[in-house]
């Protein structure tokens, strides 16, 4: 069976199961090995990432009624329209029921039509993002910038790792990894971060990872912790903490102190507890873990604190380089739901933080929408009287003075919004 046919059946299965499983986990569970696994995974990721364009082309050509044929046509259109791969015409000739020469000709005509379109419609199809989302970005950035952001989100970002500085020095870690065939570069902004330029996909199997000498995490996530700047002996409230990546990084930097970690999801907290044990966080940190809605946290549960980290659930539109299926899940309703949750969490965090003695709150989301970043902070400044601090990383936010943004095309990270607030 050709790789296109395998991917066509997997695509059908994934689209049916998508409400309960992400693409990364779906691929992880596939019973495929070695080279075939890589080819299948790359093609499936590509088709899902460009499904908006592919489906638009298919709607112009006429979608087959049969589900299997429809999915095979999607895969072939992806090969022709996105990869610009004509070899598939010869290779699959006779394998499927389509006239592939004619299909390739129609795809070229339709792509030329896309080029003649203007504004949000054109960008939505060219980069395969929902049109309403592109329109939202165009309200805050010129078209040339939106183009760069969308193109960047369609590229894979490098693998990054955080050094467990409690156990190993960065140069020693790079040395240790290089002896196992990994090639790593020290990050020039963050003293405890490395970029894995070769072998990233196998980093989890490295001795260093197994010994807890590194934590696999995107650089943007590490920037959030550097902005929080947890110091030895401080008390931190981590309001949406699971699976605990930022908490564990904070514990590396603090050495000693107190963390109150809260998350609403029992399942994610269970995963966080595993990571906490693996990195020995509670050997050094006085740790309190609560499974509850952080909007209902009380002063008694939290106690005296210095700083708050609020990294709430979001549309994850900044994570598209790693999870392209986010493009198929994000809807205006989901965005509204997330904004309501984020505002509920932030307004409670500010009020609670003030009562518990916190001076600083860091707010972060892995999203590229202004609604979950700048507009939330703008409202907090207006209604809660917080002050926004300068942050020495990333690019200026869509609305200057309200925080910073990290982008794949500029910072080689996932898309993040970060804002540091003074509560006093
Ligand atoms: C972006 S993730 C947090 C990632 C985490 N900070 C880390 O670095 O690993 C968002 C988390 O918010 C949690 N969450 C959603 N609604 C919540 C609520 N009302 N109260 C507390 N946690 C919530 C989700 O369960 C999810 O684990």
């Amino acid at each position: 069976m050709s790789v296109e046919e395998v991917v066509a059946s997997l695509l059908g299965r994934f689209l049916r199961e998508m409400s309960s499983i992400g693409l990364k986990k779906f691929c992880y569970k596939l019973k495929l090995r070695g080279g075939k696994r890589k080819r299948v995974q790359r093609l499936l990721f590509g088709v899902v990432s460009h499904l908006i364009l592919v489906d638009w082309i298919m709607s112009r050509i006429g979608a087959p009624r049969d589900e299997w044929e429809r999915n095979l046509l999607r895969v072939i259109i992806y090969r022709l329209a996105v990869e610009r791969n004509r070899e598939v015409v010869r290779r699959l000739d006779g394998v499927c029921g389509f006239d592939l020469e004619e299909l390739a000709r129609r795809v070229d005509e339709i792509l030329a039509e896309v080029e003649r379109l203007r504004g949000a419609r054109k960008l939505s199809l060219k980069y395969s993002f929902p049109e309403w989302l592109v329109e939202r970005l165009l309200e805050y950035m010129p078209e040339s910038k939106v183009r760069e952001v969308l193109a960047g989100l369609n590229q894979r970002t490098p693998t990054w790792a955080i050094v467990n500085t409690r156990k190993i020095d960065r140069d020693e870690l790079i040395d240790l990894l290089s002896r196992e065939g990994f090639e790593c570069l020290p990050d020039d902004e963050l003293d405890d971060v490395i970029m894995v330029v070769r072998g990233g996909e196998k980093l989890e199997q490295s001795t260093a990872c197994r010994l807890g000498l590194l934590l696999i995490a995107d650089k943007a996530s590490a920037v959030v912790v550097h902005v929080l700047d947890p110091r030895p002996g401080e008390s931190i409230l981590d309001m949406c903490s699971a699976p605990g990546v930022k908490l564990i990084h904070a514990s590396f930097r603090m050495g000693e102190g107190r963390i109150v970690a809260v998350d609403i999801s029992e399942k994610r907290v269970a995963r966080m507890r595993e990571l906490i044990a693996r990195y020995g966080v509670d050997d050094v940190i006085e740790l309190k873990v609560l499974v509850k809605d952080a909007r209902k946290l009380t002063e008694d549960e939290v106690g005296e604190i210095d700083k708050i980290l609020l990294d709430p659930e979001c549309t994850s539109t900044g994570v598209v380089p790693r999870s392209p299926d986010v493009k198929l899940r994000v809807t205006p309703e989901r965005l509204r739901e997330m904004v309501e949750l984020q505002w509920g969490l932030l307004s409670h965090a500010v009020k609670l933080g003030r009562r518990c003695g916190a001076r600083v709150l860091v707010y972060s989301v892995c999203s590229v929408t202004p609604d979950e970043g700048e507009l939330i902070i703008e409202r907090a400044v207006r209604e809660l009287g917080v002050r926004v601090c300068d942050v020495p990383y990333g690019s200026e936010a869509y609305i200057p003075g309200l925080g910073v943004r990290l982008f794949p095309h500029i910072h080689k990270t996932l898309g993040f919004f970060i804002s540091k607030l003074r509560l006093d």
Side-chain angles (χ1 to χ4, degrees), residues 49-61:
S49 184
H50 293 86
L51 203 61
I52 292 176
L53 172 68
V54 165
D55 275 2
W56 190 72
I57 295 176
M58 188 165 72
S59 72
R60 304 293 307 276
I61 289 167

Side-chain angles (χ1 to χ4, degrees), residues 316-331:
S316 302
T317 39
V319 184
V320 164
R322 300 246 153 206
S323 306
D325 45 320
V326 166
K327 293 179 178 186
L328 308 180
R329 285 174 216 283
V330 61
T331 60

Side-chain angles (χ1 to χ4, degrees), residues 160-198:
W160 296 92
I162 297 165
V163 185
N164 183 351
T165 43
R166 275 182 41 230
K167 294 204 170 156
I168 195 166
D169 170 83
R170 179 163 71 173
D171 292 340
E172 271 177 76
L173 175 66
I174 292 178
D175 229 41
L176 179 66
L177 286 167
S178 77
R179 273 183 257 136
E180 287 185 0
F182 296 95
E183 196 185 322
C184 305
L185 294 173
D187 183 59
D188 49 16
E189 276 185 307
L190 305 183
D191 57 5
D192 56 355
V193 169
I194 58 173
M195 185 202 274
V196 186
V197 275
R198 189 155 43 87

Side-chain angles (χ1 to χ4, degrees), residues 221 238-247 262-265 268 292-295 309 311-314 341 345 366:
S221 169
D238 185 353
M239 277 182 77
C240 292
S241 57
V245 172
K246 295 176 193 74
L247 178 155
V262 187
D263 200 284
I264 202 169
S265 159
R268 288 173 69 95
K292 81 173 273 177
D293 184 337
R295 289 170 294 188
L309 172 58
D311 181 39
E313 196 174 338
C314 66
L341 172 69
L345 284 162
C366 54

